[in-house]
Amino acid sequence: MSFRRWRIARSDKSLSRSVAQRFGIDGFAAHLLTSRGCRSDAMISDMLGLDDDTAEFLDPFDIIDMDKAVERIRRAVDDFEAIAVYGDYDVDGVTSTALLYSYLESVGANVMYYIPKRDGEGYGLNVRAIDELHGRNISLIITVDNGISAVSEVAHAKSLGMDVVITDHHQEGDQLPEAVAVVNPHRRGSKCSFTEYAGVGVAFKLICALEGDSMAVLENGGDLVALGTVADVVSLTGENRRLVRLGLKQINHTGRVGLSTLMETASLSGKEVTSTNIAFVIAPRLNAAGRLGHASPVVELLTTDDEEEAFSLAEELNAMNRERQEIEQMIDRDVSEMLSKDPSVLYDRVIVIAGEKWHGGVIGIFASRICERYGKPCFIISYEGENAKGSGRSIEGFSLYDAISACSEHLTGFGGHTLAAGINLKTSDIQSFRRAINDYAMRKYPSMPSPELYIDCQLPPSALTIELCGAARILEPFGADNPVPLIAVMGLRITDIFGAGGGKHQRLTLERGGTIITAMKFSTADENFPFRIGDIVDIAVTLDVSNYRGRESLTLIVRDMRLSDTHFDEINDGRRLYEKMMRGESLSDDESKALRPTRDILGTVYRFVSCGYRGEADVLGCRMKRLGVGFGAMLCSLRILSEGGLLSVDDKGTFIRIEAVRRGAQDGKISPENTPTAMRVGYKNV
C-alpha cells in the first residue's frame, strides 16, 4: 500500500452533543455524522433513514425526456412491438437489464434483452448489434447504463426505422444522440435535486414513471437496485442511500431464486448481507462473467425461477470468478518481473505498464491495485498485434480525463472521468503515450498530488469497544461518500507480534497507558513486516464484531500503520526529489545537496541494513532519520551501495528489499564515488 498522508477529521464537540441529544443517538455516531457534513436535521434524518417507509421518492418526471420515454414505451407495450433492452456487462448493467426486462415482461410486453460482449463488441451500442436486432424485427431499443455518447449508432438505428430510448447516468458529451428520449439526470438543464444514480437507479426511475408507484416498483426490484448501486460505487447519499437501505432488507429476505442461490454458494447463507458483502463477495462473482466471457448468464441467474438452473448458473459464475483471480495473479507476476528488470517505470509521475495479451476484462481491476499500491495515477495496457487498449485509475487531485484529452493525438479513442478512464491506441504508440502523459503531468502538476487517508477521529485504546462498533453501524450502508469509519490510535507500543494464517497475516498486541488491545494486519507476510516488538506506532483501524459460539468479540483491522515519529512531508519530499533525479531531470544545487550523502552517512546506512531489510520504505526512512539520515539521502546511499556491489537493493517505490552481498561476490565492487548515482549528485569520498 502506498505511503499516505493522514487527514483526521476535526471535531465539533458542541454540535455533536446537540445532535446526539436531539436524535437520541450515541455521541460517536453523532460525531461521524457531523464530521461528514451532516449538520441539518433533514440531512441527518436522511442519513439515518428515519423516513424510509413513509417519505415520497423524488418525482421521476423531473428527469429530462422522461415523459417522452414513457409515452414511447407504453405505445410499444400496447401495440406488442418487439422491444430490446440493451444493457452492459458490468453489475450495474446486468442489474439494470434484469430490472427493466422483468418489469416489461410482467406487463405483457414483447421484450428481449441484449448485452454486448466485452471482447469483440465492447461497451455500449454498436452497429453490428443494431443490425442483429433489426434482423429480429426489433422496433424499439431501450438502453440501460449506456447510450449517452452513441451518436452515430443511434443515427444508424434511426436509418433502419428503429426507435431508441436512452437511459444512462454517464456524463453527456458535446452532442446528444438523436433518440426519441435521452433520460439522464446529468443532462444540462436537468431539474433533478439528486443526480448521482447508478444506471440501475435511472432504470428504476423509468419504471417508477411507467408504473406510477415507486414503492411497488421497489418491492419487486429493490434487491437489484441495491446490487447495482453498491457495485457501481456511486455516492451512497441522497436517494441512493434510501434505495440501498431498503434494497438490502429485500436481499436479506430475498425470494429471488438466483440471488439466494448465489449467496448460498458464496457462503453467505444465514449471514446478514451488507453493502460490504455486496462489494467484496457478490459483485465480483456477478462481474466475472462480463469480464471473461459473456454477461447473459448473470441476467439469466437474476431472472430465473428454476432452482436447478440457478444452482448451475451460480456455480458457473463462481468458477469464472476463480479464473478471474488466477488471471490477476498471472498479470501480477508479469508486472513484478517487468519492474524488477526496469524499475524506472515507478519513477514516473504517471505509471504506464503494458503487457501482451493481458485479459482486457481484468486490467481495470489491476490498474486500481497498482494505483493503490504506489499512490500514483496509472494505466495498465494490453496489446495484441497492432492494437492496444488500456484502463487507467487515479488519485484525488489528478484528473485522468483531462490528462488523456491533452494526449489524444497518441490515442485512437478514449473516455472516462476524473479517477477512471479507458483508452485505445496503436501498440507502436504506447511509449509515446507514456512520455506524453508524463510531460503533461510535469507541466500541469509541478508538485503531484499525494495520496491521503481520511480518518474519522482519534481515540485512546480504552475507547475501542463493541458498543462503539455498534454505534457506528447506525451509518450503514457504507460505500462511496460514506465509508466504513476509520479510527486512529496513536502512541501504541508493540508488545507481541504473532504470524497468523501460516505467516500470511500478523496478529499484534499493543499497549498504551495500561490498556492492551489486539489488532489484525492482513495480507502482510512475516518476512515483509517491518515493525518490531517495542516500536511505538500509530494505527488506523476499522472495527468489526466477531461471533463465535454465541460469544461476541471486537476485532480491530489495521488499514494503515506507521512509526509514531513519522513525518510525512520529509519522506514524501525526499522520495519525489530522488525520483526526479532518477528520471534524469536537472537538479538545483540545493536539491543535489539534499540527496548527496556524506561518507559518514553512507557508512551509517550500510551498517544499519547490512543484515538485510524487507518492508515499507517509509518505516526504514523513519528509523534512518533517527540516525541523522534524510530520506532522499538514504535512497541515494542505497543506490550507491547497490551500484558499488556492496548491497542488493530492490526498490519498489513504497516497498524495499535489501540483501547483503556475500564477500566473495564483492570482488567486482567499485568505489562509491565512481558509481553513476554518486557522480550525479556530486558525492566525494571525504
Side-chain angles (χ1 to χ4, degrees), residues 53 71 121 140 142 215 272 283 288 293 307 327 333 357 368 393 415 557 580 590 662:
D53 296 326
E71 189 279 326
E121 292 183 87
L140 175 62
I142 308 172
M215 285 304 296
E272 181 185 4
E307 292 185 0
I327 291 172
R333 289 192 296 269
K357 295 183 180 179
S368 296
R393 297 294 184 271
I557 302 171
K580 182 178 180 180
D590 287 342
R662 299 190 311 273

Side-chain angles (χ1 to χ4, degrees), residues 2 331-332 335-336 339 345-346 351-353 363-380 393:
S2 63
I331 295 176
D332 202 354
V335 170
S336 295
L339 294 179
V345 172
L346 296 178
I351 297 172
V352 178
I353 303 174
I363 57 176
I365 297 174
F366 204 74
S368 296
R369 187 176 301 172
I370 293 294
C371 181
E372 172 76 10
R373 186 180 298 171
Y374 298 109
K376 293 183 177 185
C378 83
F379 279 90
I380 302 298
R393 297 294 184 271

Side-chain angles (χ1 to χ4, degrees), residues 224-237:
L224 297 179
V225 178
L227 284 175
T229 300
V230 171
D232 214 49
V233 202
V234 292
S235 178
L236 286 194
T237 57

Side-chain angles (χ1 to χ4, degrees), residues 149-218:
S149 60
V151 175
S152 61
E153 290 81 4
V154 170
H156 179 70
K158 190 174 180 180
S159 73
L160 296 175
M162 305 166 73
D163 284 341
V164 180
V165 168
I166 290 170
T167 73
D168 202 350
H169 70 120
H170 298 97
Q171 296 293 332
E172 66 174 300
D174 295 333
Q175 182 181 357
L176 287 176
E178 292 187 9
V180 171
V182 180
V183 179
N184 187 329
H186 289 291
R187 279 186 60 182
R188 289 182 281 273
S190 173
K191 298 178 182 178
C192 303
S193 58
F194 182 77
T195 61
E196 300 307 308
Y197 300 102
V200 72
V202 181
F204 166 75
K205 301 303 284 188
L206 171 65
I207 300 171
C208 291
L210 288 164
E211 187 67 12
D213 187 342
S214 297
M215 285 304 296
V217 175
L218 195 67

Side-chain angles (χ1 to χ4, degrees), residues 72-84:
R72 182 65 184 90
I73 294 170
R74 281 178 176 166
R75 177 155 51 90
V77 173
D78 291 342
D79 295 343
F80 206 63
E81 294 181 51
I83 304 170

Side-chain angles (χ1 to χ4, degrees), residues 9-22 26-28 30-32 34-35 39 457-460:
R10 295 181 179 179
S11 174
D12 186 331
K13 294 182 179 179
S14 175
L15 178 60
S16 296
R17 281 195 298 269
S18 174
V19 168
Q21 291 171 358
R22 292 202 313 276
D26 183 88
F28 178 57
H31 163 75
L32 292 174
T34 57
S35 66
R39 304 198 165 205
C457 64
Q458 178 181 332
L459 293 175

